[in-house]
Amino acid sequence: MRPPAFAYAKPASLDEALGLLAEHGDDARILAGGQSLVPLLNFRVAFPECLIDINGLPDLSYLHETADGGLEIGALTRYRMVEASAMVRERWPLLHEAIGEVAHGPIRNRGTIGGSLCHADPGAEMPTVLTALGGSVHLRSVRGQRTVAANDFFLGQLETSIEPDELLVAVSLPGWSATAGGAWREYAVRKGDYGIVGAGAQVQLDAERRIERVGLGVMNVGIVPFDAAPVAAPLLSGKSADSAPVEETAAAVAAAVQPSSDIHATADYRRHLTAVLVRRALNEAIGRAQIKTGRQ
Amino acid sequence: MKSECDITVTVNGTRHSRTVSARTLLVDFIRNDLGLTGTHDSCDHGVCGSCTVQMNGEAVRSCLTFAVQADGAEIETVEALSTGPDLHPVQKAFMQEHGLQCGFCTPGILVTVREFLSRHRNPSEDEIRLALSGNLCRCTGYQNIIKAVMTADRIWER
């Protein structure tokens, strides 16, 4: 089908974009990569009165390592830019591997990190990546700015806590030690399809190679990313990397999630996948942390 | 806020200035306004790949791009591969290896392959399959498409 009619504006500055949002708010949608929004328009499940095209704001596209070892990503940063970054591949393997599972090349050429987070599809990788790494989003409006943690941002299927006059401008990943290990494991029927379940694990070891910090997120076992760190951290904290109870942790996470059944998978299958993918992601993350710690 | 926009787009080396509705998709602009029907349109949500064109050197889905977003851009469609009887090496390879049947998916695949091979040499079969994972073909079963890409890699001097 074809999109319904809408009015169009392409602001030349962030202030102009925020002014348009203040004026049109509820009736407007932001056009960034368009890889999630335009299908909604083509299928006529969304009827925005106007589109605010932010592709004229290149200052919103960046990868910036912060002083505390974290990473700030501009909202307009294309998947392709993150995928090509040697720094991300080396320092944020969870993010790097998750990007590789996002759709296909042409989608990644245009799609943006900010767009995926705002769209909040339960089957999308970026919301669960943000949850697993303990990240937050930066929102701006003419009223000011605020920072929202991942756990408070994703509210439901295609629903976030962003206000109608707000623009997501950047994403922050907190600092993890230089020796932290991370991994993303996902299962889809065909490469690039929406994953049936995905898991992102981030593990940090202390000087004695005991687990001192864990991040864990599970994708598509509910309408929002599942933050599994509260389940996993008590089981893994303080344990030696060589003998961490990964199987027990994976089983505990699988017991904690409450997926529903749909045409792609039954709830039982999603629980099974949760156990398998959490186990694989944790094992890989711990292994990578051990290698990095060993180099020191 | 406008519902109609003036755009200037370079397509296959030719500059076009037109007025379009904001909601006109790039695939429709290419096919209907410019008469370049090599680019095809099928799923309208980015999955099948038949609408793939190059925008500023990158493969993109023209069904998920508005024509107004191509203002000032350089677009290359499948028609850019050859202008006369001399086929592009990628096209020759697809003919040689029988990498197409009905041809519906073929333009999207050729554009994707062109971008892929311009950035990779001597790809493995797995790398080719990964690169083409966003292009669906109902006819061939993909085997000859893979062979065609491998042949194109050998014969295309780039």
Side-chain angles (χ1 to χ4, degrees), chain B residues 119-156:
Chain B
R119 296 176 190 181
H120 297 87
R121 286 177 192 278
N122 197 23
S124 66
E125 180 177 332
D126 277 352
E127 286 168 332
I128 295 171
R129 285 184 181 276
L130 197 60
L132 290 177
S133 64
N135 295 84
L136 300 180
C137 173
R138 201 65 185 84
C139 296
T140 67
Y142 303 99
Q143 305 279 49
N144 287 346
I145 292 176
I146 308 297
K147 285 187 196 168
V149 178
M150 288 179 151
T151 296
D153 171 63
R154 278 199 329 271
I155 69 174
W156 183 17

Side-chain angles (χ1 to χ4, degrees), chain A residues 36 69 112 130-131 135 193 224 230 258:
Chain A
S36 295
T112 65
L130 195 74
T131 300
D193 282 357
V224 294
Q258 296 178 304

Side-chain angles (χ1 to χ4, degrees), chain A residues 17 35 71 73 134 144 158 161 168 175 194 198 220-222 225 229 243 261 273:
Chain A
Q35 306 302 284
L71 182 65
I73 307 175
L158 307 187
S161 59
L168 189 153
Y194 277 107
N220 221 6
V221 289
S243 56
S261 299
L273 283 178

